[in-house]
Amino acid sequence: MGEEAKDYELMGHPSEELDAAWEHLMQDFFTEVPYEYVESVGRLDEGIPTASGNFLATYSFMHQLHCLKRVHHSYWPERYFPNTTEEEKVRLQEHNLHCLQMLLKAIMCHADTVPETLRWVEESKFPLGNRTSPHECVNWDTLMNGMRKNRVNPFKPGVLVHPKLGPVVPDGRNTVIEDKDRHRFVINGTSVLVSELEKDGR
C-alpha cells in the first residue's frame, strides 16, 4: 500500500500537530545577509538594513516553502482564512497563483533529472512511478541550524519600519492590518509566519 495523507508531515489534513510543524519551519523565514552580498548584486539603494549592518532577506527555498504552505492551506479556507470577504478571496487566489508560478519557475530552474522508473501493480492496469530513486540532498539540519544563527524576528519593534508609512506591525503579532496586505502577516491576531521567535527575544 502506498503513502496516505496521514503519512505526510507537512501536507496532510489539518491538525494541531501539522500547524505546529509549519510554524516551527516558518520561524526562520526572515534572515539577514551580509552587506557585501547586497552590494555585489547592486541592491544597496533598495535593501532594508538591519541593526547589525547587514540586510533583511529571505532565501528562495523558504519563499517556496511559504508558497507550498499557502496552497496547502487554501484547501481548508474555513480553518486558515476565516471570515474573508469576496474581495479578499480574489486577492488570496491571486496570491496562490503567484505561489504556483514561483514553484513552477523553481522546478524548471532546478530540474531534478533523477529517473523515476515505472512498475506494474496488482490494483491498476496503468504503471506507477517508483519515487524511491536515490537523491543527493542538502543536509537539512545543518542548513537550518546555520540559518537560525541569522534569523530575524519581523515582529520585534523597529525591525520593519517603512521609511514613509512607519512601522509595519506596531502591535507585534496582534497588529490588525486593514488594507489589502493584511493576509501577509497577521490574520485575526494570529501570525501567518512564526510564534517561537518571541521566546528567545529575537
Side-chain angles (χ1 to χ4, degrees):
M1 188 174 181
E3 293 178 323
E4 297 180 359
K6 64 181 178 60
D7 302 316
Y8 302 150
E9 179 183 359
L10 293 168
M11 290 295 159
H13 291 280
S15 68
E16 295 300 321
E17 293 76 16
L18 184 140
D19 290 348
W22 270 117
E23 191 168 300
H24 178 73
L25 183 60
M26 288 290 102
Q27 68 180 327
D28 299 310
F29 186 85
F30 285 105
T31 188
E32 55 182 354
V33 294
Y35 177 100
E36 292 76 16
Y37 171 77
V38 179
E39 182 180 38
S40 71
V41 295
R43 296 179 181 175
L44 288 177
D45 59 333
E46 70 174 35
I48 301 176
T50 63
S52 65
N54 294 319
F55 283 80
L56 189 66
T58 186
Y59 287 102
S60 291
F61 78 91
M62 289 299 294
H63 193 169
Q64 292 154 18
L65 286 171
H66 155 79
C67 280
L68 282 173
K69 175 187 174 186
R70 290 278 309 203
V71 174
H72 173 270
H73 284 13
S74 70
Y75 280 86
W76 293 276
E78 67 284 353
R79 180 183 180 95
Y80 297 109
F81 305 106
N83 306 317
T84 53
T85 65
E86 290 303 313
E87 184 179 3
E88 288 170 338
K89 289 178 182 178
V90 171
R91 293 196 184 107
L92 286 170
Q93 185 181 64
E94 283 296 316
H95 195 149
N96 288 342
L97 291 174
H98 147 77
C99 280
L100 289 171
Q101 176 69 6
M102 167 166 272
L103 293 171
L104 171 66
K105 291 296 185 180
I107 291 171
M108 294 175 70
C109 179
H110 303 285
D112 187 345
T113 58
V114 173
E116 291 186 1
T117 57
L118 299 178
R119 59 195 172 97
W120 297 114
V121 295
E122 295 288 340
E123 299 82 8
S124 172
K125 65 169 59 177
F126 297 99
L128 297 181
N130 187 333
R131 293 179 288 129
T132 61
S133 300
H135 284 74
E136 182 176 350
C137 301
V138 300
N139 186 312
W140 186 258
D141 291 338
T142 299
L143 174 64
M144 298 309 291
N145 287 337
M147 286 187 59
R148 288 190 182 106
K149 296 177 181 178
N150 297 306
R151 71 185 182 186
V152 174
N153 179 3
F155 299 107
K156 187 175 181 179
V159 171
L160 288 179
V161 181
H162 190 282
K164 293 183 179 180
L165 303 179
V168 176
V169 283
D171 297 321
R173 287 168 51 80
N174 293 317
T175 299
V176 177
I177 299 177
E178 300 294 345
D179 66 15
K180 66 180 181 180
D181 294 323
R182 80 181 186 93
H183 284 292
R184 292 192 178 184
F185 287 97
V186 180
I187 300 176
N188 298 331
T190 302
S191 164
V192 297
L193 291 177
V194 297
S195 66
E196 294 188 6
L197 289 171
E198 282 79 4
K199 295 178 182 178
D200 62 6
R202 296 198 60 157

